[in-house]
Amino acid sequence: MPERGEGTIVERPLRLDYDYTAGLAQSRFLKGIAQKKILGERCPKCGKVYVGSRGSCPTDGVATDGGEVDLPHKGTLTTFCVVNVPFAGQSVECPYASGYILLDGADIPLMGLIQEIPHDQVRMGLRVEAVWEDEVGPTLQSIKYWKPTGEPDADYETYKMHL
Amino acid sequence: MVLRATGKAGSPFAAVLGRRPVRTISASGAAAYLGEAMRDVAIVATAQSPALRKEERRNEVEILMPVIHELRENAKLDQDDIGFTVSGSCDYLQGQPFAFVTALDAIGPWPPIDESHVEMDGAWALYEAWVRLQHGDIDTALVYSFGKSSPGDIRRILTLQLDPYYLVPMWPDPVALAALQARALLESDGVSEKDMAEVVARSRKHAKDNPNAQLKGDVDVDQLLNEPMYLSPLRKHDCPPITDGAAAVILAAGDKAREITDRPAWIRGIDHRIEPHSLGVRDLTDSPSTRKAGEVAGVGSGKVDVAELYAPFSHQEIILRRALGLGDGVNVNPSGGALAANAVMVAGLLRVIEAAQRIMDGSADRAVAHATSGPALQQNLVAVLEGE
């Protein structure tokens, strides 16, 4: 028996496993990635193009069946974070820059790593392009990282609605 | 970014705090205590997805979206016409935190809507909507519920609702607890395994008329009794199937309900009660919370044509019938009930929908709907629905 004032610690290991269903729209997106294509889907109501669509326009609540858009692999860094603090399950060594890339013609950004540029030069409006892995599959890890294109920075006005 | 007006409510009242208080209502038994003062609220439209063993291709939003569209079309309402939207679901089923928020992608919550959620079966979301409509400032509410039981191990997931110190370490899953309950019932009085098999045979038979049901057909009681034990005294058919699905209803108050449909299913009484969390202090052969909720909702004050009872295990239907005092003349579970399809988090709301449908199509004048939650019938909700 524990002495007065002491607690008893019960170890209770717990694990739940799931079969994840990507869904119809995300499956189309991931199959595109496996062919080195970044496919967007348009909302038939508001016209916005979703990349990595979950099947519906979250604003209008309708299926994103207004047309598939084969997007360029180039876009604008709208916002970013330089990660200096390690955390459990981290797959990249610190420090690294992670950011939101708004592809040209898309209305929602993709998340990715920003490399081939010193961290203190990463900035909003930076123009970037995808660097693909040699072997690609139905996973966003097929895009290794995003690197600067060398183009002049995008004007804030062009992406302020997507922050 | 899409802004969302999202609230998460543990109790129905968390969602309405801060709004202008029109009336003071007690959390349970409001109908009985206030009687005439309550606003008449009815179910005016329903929709449901087919019950499937495994939705292999569609995600939750893709299952829910056509159900919501069909529902609003049935009521001829746009989301802008809905005063309050509330869902019932469980993130553990999907294995994704805030899954209930992503589900709003199926609704179209823009411009921002007045919205809430209960981490419970959709029947309790319906209760919150009913309470919200009592405030008198809105006339319509949309209630939806979704659940894919197939992605995870539903028996392990439901075990996690038990007391984490003394029970969960032993992993007594819902089937094990139901077996204990069934054994206690068989040993307590006149209930036999044959009575349980008869519940199964009738449920499967009724489900033949339900295009959305999962398990249906003519089965012979003696044949069922020849099946091997699964977890004694339960045979596999005494247990519910694993089901993926979604369902939704629209509630409307007073004349708004009559405007939307010719024959609304009026909620004449609704109440929910809970028993202790600890299984050891309960009499598992009885359901006092169902009895109390049934009394407050007014089950016994008139003839019951149809009762839809959420009894996931065959013997539980016997316990519930007794607690609600339902005689042989009552058509129990004409939809086939949870033994024919059991989308966890949806199945309780579906009982209300199936009962309401029979009022709305004129085949019944007075119906009882029941929903349960928690281990071995711990918590129970009862509603009495009537035509006009």
Side-chain angles (χ1 to χ4, degrees):
Chain A
M1 281 290 287
E3 298 203 7
R4 191 181 169 83
E6 282 181 17
T8 306
I9 293 172
V10 182
E11 294 221 3
R12 192 165 61 80
L14 207 157
R15 184 188 163 87
L16 295 172
D17 293 306
Y18 291 89
D19 291 330
Y20 178 70
T21 305
L24 300 169
Q26 268 185 345
S27 296
R28 288 192 289 267
F29 171 73
L30 291 170
K31 281 175 187 164
I33 292 288
Q35 298 170 49
K36 275 201 181 178
K37 281 182 176 184
I38 308 178
L39 299 177
E41 295 193 358
R42 197 181 292 278
C43 169
K45 214 166 160 187
C46 67
K48 279 187 187 151
V49 174
Y50 292 94
V51 199
S53 168
R54 290 191 74 247
S56 82
C57 169
T59 308
D60 295 309
V62 296
T64 47
D65 55 9
E68 196 172 76
V69 187
D70 194 350
L71 291 159
H73 302 178
K74 204 154 82 166
T76 300
L77 185 67
T78 60
T79 184
F80 66 96
C81 172
V82 178
V83 181
N84 287 293
V85 184
F87 55 88
Q90 203 166 29
S91 54
V92 190
E93 214 174 299
C94 283
Y96 63 91
S98 166
Y100 275 179
I101 299 108
L102 183 69
L103 296 177
D104 297 342
D107 288 288
I108 202 117
L110 279 174
M111 210 170 154
L113 293 171
I114 311 301
Q115 293 187 0
E116 295 193 24
I117 178 172
H119 294 138
D120 60 355
Q121 288 175 31
V122 176
R123 59 196 180 271
M124 289 168 76
L126 184 73
R127 296 284 295 160
V128 292
E129 62 186 323
V131 177
W132 293 78
E133 293 280 2
D134 296 334
E135 298 266 316
V136 294
T139 161
L140 263 185
Q141 284 167 347
S142 299
I143 299 175
K144 218 169 170 179
Y145 58 82
W146 299 77
K147 68 170 187 186
T149 61
E151 295 166 286
D153 284 4
D155 185 4
Y156 179 67
E157 292 297 317
T158 63
Y159 62 88
K160 70 173 185 186
M161 287 304 288
H162 298 283
L163 289 171
Chain B
M1 281 302 289
V2 178
L3 294 175
R4 291 189 176 105
T6 295
K8 183 154 178 138
S11 95
F13 291 86
V16 294
L17 287 176
R19 295 207 186 91
R20 70 193 168 95
V22 179
R23 290 190 189 96
T24 308
I25 327 177
S26 69
S28 278
Y33 301 139
L34 293 177
E36 300 292 307
M38 302 311 291
R39 232 180 150 202
D40 284 332
V41 170
I43 291 158
V44 293
T46 75
Q48 58 179 290
S49 74
L52 298 179
R53 171 61 183 83
K54 191 172 170 69
E55 276 273 8
E56 280 179 296
R57 303 189 64 215
R58 297 191 297 174
N59 65 28
E60 285 76 357
V61 168
E62 289 167 336
I63 296 170
L64 194 53
M65 201 161 36
V67 173
I68 299 291
H69 291 183
E70 184 193 327
L71 175 75
R72 291 189 299 222
E73 214 162 280
N74 287 348
K76 298 192 174 52
L77 295 177
D78 293 327
Q79 188 60 37
D80 296 347
D81 305 321
I82 309 284
F84 181 61
T85 303
V86 56
S87 64
S89 67
C90 177
D91 289 0
Y92 272 75
L93 297 184
Q94 208 164 329
Q96 293 173 55
F98 291 91
F100 74 98
V101 179
T102 48
L104 278 168
D105 288 0
I107 305 297
W110 186 265
I113 61 170
D114 194 356
E115 182 267 337
S116 184
H117 173 258
V118 293
E119 194 81 4
M120 299 184 78
D121 186 287
W124 275 266
L126 179 133
Y127 184 85
E128 180 177 340
W130 178 83
V131 170
R132 182 66 187 83
L133 284 163
Q134 295 306 323
H135 285 225
D137 58 327
I138 55 164
D139 294 327
T140 52
L142 189 155
V143 181
Y144 68 95
S145 181
F146 61 95
K148 286 178 77 171
S149 301
S150 70
D153 182 338
I154 189 67
R155 289 170 67 173
R156 283 176 74 85
I157 290 168
L158 288 175
T159 305
L160 296 182
Q161 68 188 326
L162 298 169
D163 149 42
Y165 305 107
Y166 297 102
L167 276 177
V168 173
M170 297 187 289
W171 289 94
D173 71 21
V175 181
L177 295 178
L180 283 173
Q181 185 179 39
R183 175 63 67 200
L185 186 69
L186 289 171
E187 289 185 357
S188 68
D189 49 24
V191 178
S192 67
E193 288 177 18
K194 187 161 177 275
D195 297 327
M196 290 163 59
E198 276 167 1
V199 170
V200 177
R202 178 176 36 76
S203 298
R204 298 269 178 97
K205 185 166 178 275
H206 282 175
K208 281 164 65 184
D209 296 328
N210 179 357
N212 294 309
Q214 188 181 344
L215 299 180
K216 51 181 95 178
D218 291 310
V219 282
D220 181 58
V221 170
D222 292 329
Q223 211 179 328
L224 290 177
L225 289 170
N226 280 331
E227 293 285 320
M229 284 294 174
Y230 180 57
L231 200 60
S232 176
L234 301 178
R235 294 175 172 84
K236 207 151 194 179
H237 53 250
D238 291 308
C239 308
I242 293 172
T243 310
D244 295 346
V249 305
I250 288 176
L251 300 182
D255 287 341
K256 184 71 186 173
R258 295 180 190 96
E259 194 184 296
I260 293 170
T261 182
D262 293 341
R263 195 173 149 88
W266 296 99
I267 300 172
R268 295 301 188 207
I270 185 165
D271 190 52
H272 64 95
R273 301 277 161 166
I274 192 162
E275 289 170 46
H277 195 205
S278 171
L279 291 154
V281 302
R282 287 172 52 196
D283 174 3
L284 294 179
T285 65
D286 190 15
S287 184
S289 55
T290 301
R291 182 174 298 112
K292 184 70 186 169
E295 281 166 12
V296 175
V299 173
S301 63
K303 182 179 171 283
V304 178
D305 299 322
V306 164
E308 278 283 338
L309 310 178
Y310 185 10
F313 295 89
S314 61
H315 67 277
Q316 292 178 339
E317 187 191 292
I318 298 166
I319 296 172
L320 293 170
R321 286 179 80 126
R322 287 176 171 179
L324 290 168
L326 301 176
D328 290 340
V330 180
N331 184 3
V332 174
N333 288 346
S335 69
L339 290 168
N342 184 39
V344 172
M345 296 294 134
V346 180
L349 181 63
L350 259 186
R351 304 284 71 75
V352 185
I353 288 176
E354 293 290 353
Q357 263 324 121
R358 280 155 183 87
I359 300 287
M360 292 167 73
D361 68 16
S363 61
D365 289 323
R366 195 160 184 274
V368 168
H370 159 270
T372 194
S373 182
L377 302 176
Q378 185 203 7
Q379 186 169 6
N380 295 282
L381 178 149
V382 178
V384 174
L385 309 175
E386 285 178 10
E388 214 163 26

